[in-house]
Amino acid sequence: MPRRRRRPGSCGRGCRRRCGSASGGRCCTARPAGPPRSEAPVQPRPRRCWRSPWRCGRSIASSSRPASCRTSTGSRWRWLIAWSSNILRLPRPPRPLLAPHPAVPWAGCSGTALPARTRLSPAVRSWLGSNKHPLLWPKGTEGLHPDGSGETLPCSWSWSVLNIYNYGYLTWEWTSSLRGYSYPLIFASMYKALQLLAKDNVQLLIWVPRLAQAVLAAFADVKLYSLVQHLENSETAKFVFFCQLCSWFTWYSCTRTLTNTMETILSIFALSYYPIKGSKMGNSCKYLALVALAIVIRPTAVILWIPLVFSHFLQEQRKTDLILYNCIPVGLVTVGTSLIIDRVFFGEWVLVQLNFLKFNVLQNLGTFYGSHPWHWYFTQGLPVVLGPHLPFFIHGCALAPRRFHVLLLAVIWTVLVYSTLSHKEFRFIYPVLPFCMIFCGYSLKYLKAWKKTAASFLLLSNLVPALYTGLVHQRGTLDVMSHIQQLCNHSQQSQAFVFILMPCHSTPFYSHVHCPLKMRFLQCPPDLSGNASYIDEADVFYSNPLGWLNKEFYNDTLLPSHLILFNVLEKEISSFLALWDYEKTATVFHTHVPQGRVGSHISIYRRKTEINYP
């Protein structure tokens, strides 16, 4: 049955007023005649009338209020009733479709090269030019990310070569079933492919995971740009994109193979399909699948998405369908896949996500690796991660549209929940950073005359810490691996023994060596048996370094051929080094800010024997 055409000026929704000349004499809620929807030209977005619940034809650029939009004093009570009924019952008129936007810029946190056909505005080109070689960015150190070296790559390396070269190392987290194999399986597949192609040299094994992580981060940044462009406009999207690219912490973290990095990437992808009010890209199945994948990789991702999923559930009209046809199938598929993968590698059925949450949240055993006061994320963590963006984030929170308040709620909720845990690290709140960049982009957009000044400030103030932390700060633990790798080419490799006398997990270990070299480092696994008097090997060593070495290496046949240690330890064990004829062969810079057990330089000692090691 054909739809009946409405008379001009009658919306059929109880509208009894006309908005005068501003809308051509038609009812405010009536859709104006024009070209077909798909060919509608870009129109200025209408602004709500001064006191009217209906839309007038006044554009945003107009500064005067149409006289016919004003209400008299005697009719204000009638207007209030009409306004309330309009808000509660009547849907807003559809927004005009925007014209197809130009190609989305291809750049990640590192500013990848752009395709030849991509056309960008000069402003975007200048922003991307500031982030020039992110894919070639050194992984740096784990100074801001303690224990990050042993989180993914060593496990991937050990799995990929376990039945081939019969060497590798798994940390206590894998032997205790606290981490799953789903994420390392990605990098293990890369290692295996390189081996099958006979291209598994050290440089490719080091760079391929970083390149893969950088490409994923680049796609995530593009998704963030597209989301804001779809919800708002190109101008807002450019400012959000600029803030994301300028963030020093994004530069520092986006190419690292940390589970937090993948959690952040998947959260951005999931947000692009999240049904935010006004979005036509919302897809419950897609965003729930990405959230479930993020939880599989890092179970604490559930903290960030609790308020978002709950908000979606409240605004969803078909709640039963959402649970039966989206949540349950997605959960069964992702958890089932994770269970099968872990069953293959662990040899038994293990739900690592539950073990992870039990260890870190319920039992709070992460305090074994240090604790901080409850306010640490508010006074240090979030201000450091945001850096120069902090004032723009606060300003943007007051300007952002109401539909983005759920994102702000997710940020506050995540920081509050993490604040209840004693063990805190900067990387734990990395997934909220892209959410914060949306508010920073709104702040830049509304600065008007100060836009260029603010953008220049953000670029320059983030450039210095990004370059320093990415190229200089605490890089020694990676540079020293090139010295160790030289032993792989020695004819007496089988007799070499490298002992790393540094805080546990300071180096990436076998993933940066690629040979069956005998190596050892100080262990620091927590006690899972509840022994209150337990002290790990690293703490025992640092309590009495000289006594521990004399007791451990009581026979010269047990002595390592090489010792790797921070310079702060040299004086304490100098007598041991002199007794067993160790000589310093190299010194590697590490940091300008030594602290505690971490020194400014790393020293490499070689024992004088009849074998001339490099």
Side-chain angles (χ1 to χ4, degrees):
M1 180 177 180
R3 296 179 62 183
R4 185 178 63 180
R5 297 177 60 87
R6 293 173 180 161
R7 293 182 293 103
S10 175
C11 62
R13 299 174 181 173
C15 176
R16 298 182 179 180
R17 300 188 51 181
R18 298 174 182 272
C19 221
S21 59
S23 60
R26 294 187 298 273
C27 174
C28 296
T29 56
R31 182 179 178 84
R37 186 178 179 86
S38 60
E39 301 176 2
V42 179
Q43 299 291 340
R45 186 177 177 182
R47 176 180 287 178
R48 191 172 293 278
C49 291
W50 176 42
R51 290 178 177 173
S52 173
W54 304 285
R55 291 182 181 270
C56 293
R58 183 169 65 99
S59 66
I60 291 179
S62 176
S63 59
S64 60
R65 305 185 184 97
S68 56
C69 289
R70 301 171 183 164
T71 56
S72 62
T73 305
S75 62
R76 284 181 182 175
W77 66 273
R78 291 194 300 271
W79 164 81
L80 182 60
I81 296 175
W83 183 82
S84 302
S85 62
N86 187 30
I87 292 297
L88 296 176
R89 301 176 186 174
L90 302 180
R92 297 180 181 178
R95 292 173 57 183
L97 288 178
L98 297 177
H101 55 77
V104 179
W106 172 275
C109 57
S110 43
T112 9
L114 300 173
R117 291 177 294 177
T118 304
R119 297 180 179 179
L120 304 178
S121 66
V124 176
R125 286 199 297 270
S126 64
W127 296 344
L128 298 182
S130 66
N131 252 343
K132 279 203 173 171
H133 302 293
L135 294 182
L136 303 181
W137 206 257
K139 186 183 175 185
T141 72
E142 308 305 333
L144 294 177
H145 303 321
D147 301 337
S149 291
E151 192 172 73
T152 303
L153 289 186
C155 171
S156 306
W157 172 259
S158 178
W159 176 85
S160 64
V161 300
L162 189 59
N163 296 320
I164 301 170
Y165 301 111
N166 197 27
Y167 67 93
Y169 182 81
L170 287 177
T171 62
W172 66 270
E173 297 163 301
W174 306 97
T175 56
S176 302
S177 304
L178 288 181
R179 295 195 186 275
Y181 283 87
S182 302
Y183 183 44
L185 188 61
I186 300 173
F187 302 105
S189 302
M190 298 178 188
Y191 290 154
K192 188 66 177 179
L194 290 173
Q195 186 204 29
L196 294 176
L197 295 173
K199 300 294 183 181
D200 54 338
N201 59 71
V202 176
Q203 293 303 318
L204 284 179
L205 291 171
I206 293 174
W207 285 105
V208 166
R210 297 189 207 174
L211 291 171
Q213 198 74 54
V215 170
L216 289 175
F219 277 113
D221 289 344
V222 171
K223 272 293 185 181
L224 183 64
Y225 176 92
S226 301
L227 172 66
V228 180
Q229 186 185 46
H230 172 74
L231 291 174
E232 296 300 320
N233 49 56
S234 296
E235 183 184 9
T236 306
K238 289 177 181 178
F239 284 113
V240 173
F241 189 65
F242 171 70
C243 290
Q244 174 73 354
L245 294 187
C246 278
S247 172
W248 78 271
F249 198 79
T250 300
W251 286 32
Y252 182 79
S253 303
C254 68
T255 60
R256 294 170 181 266
T257 54
L258 300 169
T259 54
N260 306 93
T261 303
M262 183 57 70
E263 177 192 356
T264 304
I265 291 172
L266 291 175
S267 295
I268 296 176
F269 282 122
L271 185 63
S272 65
Y273 296 109
Y274 181 77
I276 300 177
K277 190 175 182 181
S279 172
K280 297 179 182 178
M281 298 169 58
N283 188 307
S284 299
C285 185
K286 289 183 179 180
Y287 102 81
L288 287 173
L290 290 166
V291 170
L293 184 58
I295 294 173
V296 165
I297 292 176
R298 187 167 183 86
T300 50
V302 70
I303 297 174
L304 174 64
W305 284 95
I306 282 178
L308 294 171
V309 174
F310 185 69
S311 174
H312 176 208
F313 180 78
L314 291 180
Q315 69 183 7
E316 179 65 37
Q317 296 180 353
R318 298 178 295 180
K319 294 180 173 57
T320 305
D321 291 346
L322 177 65
I323 296 175
L324 294 179
Y325 300 113
N326 291 288
C327 295
I328 293 179
V330 166
L332 290 177
V333 170
T334 52
V335 174
T337 304
S338 175
L339 280 172
I340 293 173
I341 292 174
D342 293 332
R343 173 68 176 82
V344 171
F345 294 102
F346 283 118
E348 58 183 356
W349 294 105
V350 178
L351 187 59
V352 295
Q353 291 77 24
L354 181 60
N355 294 341
F356 185 91
L357 290 174
K358 181 180 178 182
F359 179 88
N360 290 282
V361 179
L362 300 181
Q363 298 178 347
N364 201 18
L365 293 178
T367 55
F368 182 80
Y369 294 104
S371 59
H372 300 80
W374 67 268
H375 56 78
W376 186 84
Y377 280 121
F378 292 97
T379 57
Q380 297 183 50
L382 193 61
V384 169
V385 170
L386 285 173
H389 287 82
L390 181 60
F392 299 93
F393 169 69
I394 297 174
H395 182 229
C397 290
L399 298 176
R402 187 174 181 179
R403 60 184 168 190
F404 287 115
H405 288 181
V406 66
L407 303 183
L408 180 60
L409 175 63
V411 173
I412 297 174
W413 162 264
T414 302
V415 176
L416 283 174
V417 172
Y418 276 121
S419 296
T420 61
L421 305 178
S422 299
H423 181 61
K424 300 175 176 64
E425 296 182 26
F426 293 108
R427 64 188 174 107
F428 291 169
I429 58 173
Y430 178 37
V432 307
L433 187 59
F435 290 49
C436 298
M437 293 301 105
I438 295 178
F439 297 96
C440 294
Y442 270 99
S443 175
L444 280 182
K445 176 186 175 182
Y446 285 99
L447 285 180
K448 297 181 180 180
W450 295 92
K451 284 181 182 179
K452 292 184 178 180
T453 304
S456 301
F457 167 76
L458 279 178
L459 180 59
L460 295 176
S461 58
N462 280 279
L463 187 63
V464 174
L467 290 174
Y468 181 75
T469 56
L471 297 174
V472 180
H473 182 60
Q474 293 190 343
R475 61 170 299 149
T477 51
L478 284 182
D479 292 341
V480 75
M481 299 308 295
S482 61
H483 293 269
I484 298 176
Q485 205 278 329
Q486 294 176 6
L487 296 174
C488 295
N489 302 323
H490 195 269
S491 58
Q492 301 295 328
Q493 169 197 313
S494 59
Q495 300 183 28
F497 175 23
V498 178
F499 197 171
I500 302 175
L501 293 174
M502 299 161 67
C504 58
H505 308 301
S506 294
T507 67
F509 220 46
Y510 280 107
S511 62
H512 281 49
V513 175
H514 186 40
C515 73
L517 184 67
K518 184 180 179 181
M519 294 196 297
R520 178 184 172 185
F521 66 93
L522 297 173
Q523 302 286 330
C524 59
D527 177 59
L528 303 179
S529 62
N531 183 9
S533 60
Y534 169 79
I535 303 177
D536 63 68
E537 184 182 47
D539 286 339
V540 173
F541 167 77
Y542 279 103
S543 64
N544 184 11
L546 185 59
W548 188 91
L549 288 173
N550 290 328
K551 182 179 179 180
E552 188 74 12
F553 303 107
Y554 57 88
N555 192 326
D556 59 349
T557 59
L558 303 175
L559 289 170
S561 61
H562 292 75
L563 292 176
I564 313 295
L565 50 104
F566 283 115
N567 59 343
V568 294
L569 193 63
E570 289 178 316
K571 290 184 179 180
E572 295 187 58
I573 64 172
S574 58
S575 59
F576 176 85
L577 298 174
L579 176 64
W580 297 107
D581 293 330
Y582 280 97
E583 62 176 351
K584 184 186 295 187
T585 59
T587 301
V588 179
F589 170 79
H590 184 60
T591 180
H592 292 106
V593 189
Q595 185 178 13
R597 300 174 181 178
V598 179
S600 60
H601 291 77
I602 298 176
S603 301
I604 303 176
Y605 281 86
R606 179 186 61 189
R607 189 171 179 230
K608 297 179 182 179
T609 61
E610 62 275 6
I611 303 176
N612 293 322
Y613 292 107

